[in-house]
Amino acid sequence: MADVTIKIRESGPYLVKGPVTIADVDGHPYRIEGENVALCRCGQSKSKPFCDGSHRDGFVAIERAPEA
Ligand code: FES
């Protein structure tokens, strides 16, 4: 089984390094080119669930994982 990594970009999207399948609410898969995809985290994308760069219009999020 391949590893999947989700990296949170500072004030940006979730970067998913797959391979993964992203399915809509009916279970239909989106067509994804390649193995990497950026998912919107700010809620402003016009092409949800994917990031379209709209987060650059003022979205700020700088969460950090707690240190072990
Ligand atoms: S995170 Fe990029 S448009 Fe929402």
Side-chain angles (χ1 to χ4, degrees), residues 12-14 39-45 50-55 59:
Y14 298 109
L39 296 178
C40 180
R41 184 163 69 112
C42 74
Q44 301 304 311
S45 175
F50 304 103
C51 172
D52 70 355
S54 295
H55 60 269
F59 176 65

Side-chain angles (χ1 to χ4, degrees), residues 23-61:
D24 69 12
V25 295
D26 296 318
H28 301 130
Y30 287 92
R31 187 181 187 122
I32 298 172
E33 302 295 329
E35 294 189 347
N36 302 327
V37 63
L39 296 178
C40 180
R41 184 163 69 112
C42 74
Q44 301 304 311
S45 175
K46 307 284 187 295
S47 60
K48 294 181 190 83
F50 304 103
C51 172
D52 70 355
S54 295
H55 60 269
R56 295 185 190 108
D57 294 336
F59 176 65
V60 176

Side-chain angles (χ1 to χ4, degrees), residues 1-32:
M1 177 180 255
D3 288 332
V4 174
T5 301
I6 301 174
K7 179 173 175 50
I8 302 172
R9 294 290 309 268
E10 184 168 318
S11 301
Y14 298 109
L15 295 181
V16 182
K17 297 190 178 206
V20 296
T21 299
I22 309 291
D24 69 12
V25 295
D26 296 318
H28 301 130
Y30 287 92
R31 187 181 187 122
I32 298 172

